[in-house]
Every structure is written in structure tokens, then in C-alpha cells.
Amino acid sequence: MSLTVAVQMDPLESINIAGDSTFALMLSAQSRGYALFHYSPEDLNYRDGRVWTRAHPVTVQHVVGDHFRFGRPMSLDLGKDADVVLMRQDPPFDLGYITATHLLERIADQTLVVNDPASVRNAPEKVWVLDFARFMPPTLVTRSLEEARAFLAEHGEIVVKPLHGNGGKAIFKVGTDGANLSSLIEVFNTAWREPHMVQAFLPGVAKGDKRIVLVDGEVAGAVNRIPGEGEIRSNLAVGGSAAQTELTERELEICAALGPELKRRGLLFVGIDVIGGEWLTEINVTSPTGIVAIDRFNGTDTPGRIWDAIEARLAARAA
């Protein structure tokens, strides 16, 4: 199948090709003969029912410092000229991100957008996960210092993090003495208008925070992310290390519960985070990562599996 693929993402100059999932997807697409275009969400336009962007034809290669070549920029009608749009820019999940989903939703009946833009908008990672609270650690969503103090008194140690954060940024552990909790909530309340997520601290995080990737609702693989020295955060972006892993019975149960809903919502490439083999903390749908490490350990081809799923979706739409 020959496809034209428009990739909505961050600047290609800034990515680390050694572990970037979007770059791996682009390499795989190119190997299949797909035509690739790159554009930024800030370049989206709408008029008279059309959504278009200023896009660069792009070729990619796995050469550090020389990993992409742009062709001459052109106006690309995403509803007529593209078969697939990959929505792969990193959060923040702000009004700019949300507006991009609204615009792409207007072409979703013409062009396959991965992940489905309406579902991405309606499933923010630390909010939609509350639908599966039975798998989560004790969790509080609040802006209230009083409520946070009561939660700390109940659970002994807690973690406070932004409700729409990403990449392990601004995650804080508060010990039993509650030192700095009031200052922390004050800073969070100043920085963000929305509530914040407060969870019971899980000592099992020292053994790793597992990223499990699901493709069209099915498990494609997993990698265990182990915190660095003196850290509670295991994200690879903040110094965590990757290790090979297998899924526990509890993790398989979580995936089985999530899978049908992911498939129904058109969330084709999803990464979930599970601590201690049993506690679901996030469902990442905006720009999930981890497939390069998974394939390195398991000898799998997750980008190829994702493109197979995309081709199957396109074939079903055409039938």
C-alpha cells in the first residue's frame, strides 16, 4: 500500500534519534515507500471546510546530526492530499494542543488521524485513567492544601504532580513530616489553574515503572524504566534506565480491561504506565514513547506493527 503521511510533530532538529518513537515510525514508513511530510501544529489553517498546512516533504536516515532532509515547502491539504496524519507533538496539553485536535477532527472522515483527535482530546492521560480507578493507587485530585494534608496523614508519603504534565516533569515526593507541602501546593496553584494529582507514594517505583505499549488495543511489548540514583522518577527523559521485562498477571488484566475501549475510541498507539506490577498510573495517548527500547530488548518491530494496524484501518474504511 502506498500512502502519503503527514507528521504533526515538534522540530526534527530537536529530537534524539536514538530513542525517539516518532522518528522510528518515520523510518519504518519510508522503508515501506510511503511519502512523508513534516509540519508543526502552529502551521495548521482552516478555511471553507478545508484544513491545510505548510509542510515539508522529508526523508530520514539514522545518522546523528544528519538525520533528515527537507524538500521545498508546499501547501498540503490534509483532507485531500494525505492518507494519514500522525499527531505526534509533545504536550503540554494546552489550548494549542486542544485546538489542533478540533481542526484535525474536521478531516477525520477523509483522512485517518492517529490517534483519533476527538478521543485524544477527551482522554487526557491523568484524567481518563480515573475511569479505571480500580487499578490505580489511592488518588486525590485537588487544589486544596487542606485536602492534601488530610491525604498525606492517611497515606504517610505522597507524590504531587501536575494533572497535565508529561515526561516526568514537576513530580514531587512529600514525606510523612509534610515539609514543604504548603509551599508546593502554593507553587502549583500559581502555575496551573486546574487541580493537581496527589497519589500515595509507591515504594515499588524503586524497582521500576513499566511502560506497556498497546497497538489497536493489543499488547505490543513493554520496557521497565528504573529511576536513577536519588530519583523517584523513572522516565527515560529524566535519566531513568531501560530494562527488559515481562508482564505480570495483574498487568495482563489491566491491558485486557483497557484494550477494547482503546480500539473503540481509535486510540491506536497507546502507552500505559504501571508501577510495581500492579498499579496503573497513566494512559498516554498524546505522543506515547518507548517503542525503540522495547524493540531493542525483544527483537520486535513495533513501528511495523503500528503501520500494519494503520493499513488495516484504512482498508476497513475503504470497504
Side-chain angles (χ1 to χ4, degrees):
M1 182 180 289
S2 178
L3 300 178
T4 297
V5 178
V7 186
Q8 176 177 300
M9 65 179 292
D10 302 310
L12 273 167
E13 295 90 338
S14 64
I15 66 172
N16 175 8
I17 67 171
D20 190 271
S21 293
T22 308
F23 187 72
L25 284 165
M26 293 174 75
L27 283 171
S28 180
Q30 183 174 272
S31 73
R32 292 178 176 228
Y34 301 166
L36 289 173
F37 290 83
H38 173 278
Y39 74 93
S40 166
E42 289 81 7
D43 291 326
L44 285 171
N45 305 282
Y46 170 88
R47 183 175 178 180
D48 298 331
R50 295 175 54 242
V51 177
W52 80 97
T53 185
R54 180 178 180 272
H56 288 86
V58 62
T59 58
V60 289
Q61 59 182 359
H62 206 285
V63 178
V64 176
D66 187 24
H67 55 280
F68 73 96
R69 299 282 174 86
F70 276 157
R72 180 171 294 181
M74 57 178 287
S75 177
L76 186 71
D77 188 316
L78 295 178
K80 295 180 179 178
D81 300 332
D83 300 298
V84 180
V85 170
L86 287 185
M87 190 168 60
R88 291 288 304 172
Q89 81 269 24
D90 287 338
F93 192 76
D94 56 10
L95 282 175
Y97 205 114
I98 290 169
T99 301
T101 69
H102 281 293
L103 292 175
L104 291 178
E105 188 179 6
R106 296 181 178 274
I107 60 155
D109 61 337
Q110 302 168 274
T111 301
L112 180 63
V113 183
V114 179
N115 286 320
D116 179 85
S119 292
V120 167
R121 186 174 65 247
N122 294 330
E125 320 191 315
K126 295 183 183 70
V127 178
W128 184 43
V129 69
L130 300 175
D131 285 2
F132 302 90
R134 64 191 184 277
F135 299 121
M136 295 179 68
T139 298
L140 168 71
V141 178
T142 190
R143 288 176 60 86
S144 166
L145 174 58
E146 180 181 357
E147 294 296 338
R149 280 175 170 161
F151 191 81
L152 174 64
E154 181 180 351
H155 295 288
E157 294 180 301
I158 60 174
V159 171
V160 183
K161 51 190 173 182
L163 198 62
H164 297 299
N166 73 297
K169 301 181 184 73
I171 297 177
F172 294 88
K173 178 186 175 185
V174 178
T176 54
D177 61 2
N180 295 320
L181 179 60
S182 60
S183 296
L184 184 60
I185 296 297
E186 179 182 332
V187 169
F188 270 47
N189 284 350
T190 300
W192 294 286
R193 294 185 62 188
E194 64 270 16
H196 325 299
M197 178 166 274
V198 185
Q199 291 183 317
F201 174 68
L202 302 173
V205 73
K207 297 180 180 179
D209 177 359
K210 200 171 294 184
R211 164 57 56 88
I212 305 171
V213 168
L214 297 98
V215 175
D216 210 14
E218 301 291 332
V219 174
V223 62
N224 197 30
R225 303 171 299 177
I226 302 170
E229 186 70 26
E231 269 282 3
I232 63 166
R233 302 175 300 170
S234 56
N235 307 69
L236 302 183
V238 294
S241 59
Q244 192 168 14
T245 190
E246 301 289 339
L247 298 191
T248 66
E249 288 298 320
R250 171 75 163 184
E251 288 165 342
L252 290 170
E253 180 187 357
I254 293 170
C255 292
L258 285 170
E261 189 62 17
L262 298 177
K263 192 177 184 73
R264 185 185 72 79
R265 289 175 177 244
L267 296 170
L268 193 146
F269 176 16
V270 172
I272 68 171
D273 297 338
V274 181
I275 293 177
E278 60 177 324
W279 299 110
L280 176 67
T281 59
E282 292 188 23
I283 305 172
N284 297 275
V285 303
T286 50
S287 184
T289 61
I291 61 176
V292 175
I294 287 170
D295 289 346
R296 184 171 68 247
F297 287 122
N298 297 339
T300 46
D301 179 15
T302 306
R305 183 166 175 171
I306 292 169
W307 287 118
D308 286 345
I310 288 171
E311 289 193 6
R313 288 265 176 162
L314 288 170
R317 287 164 64 122

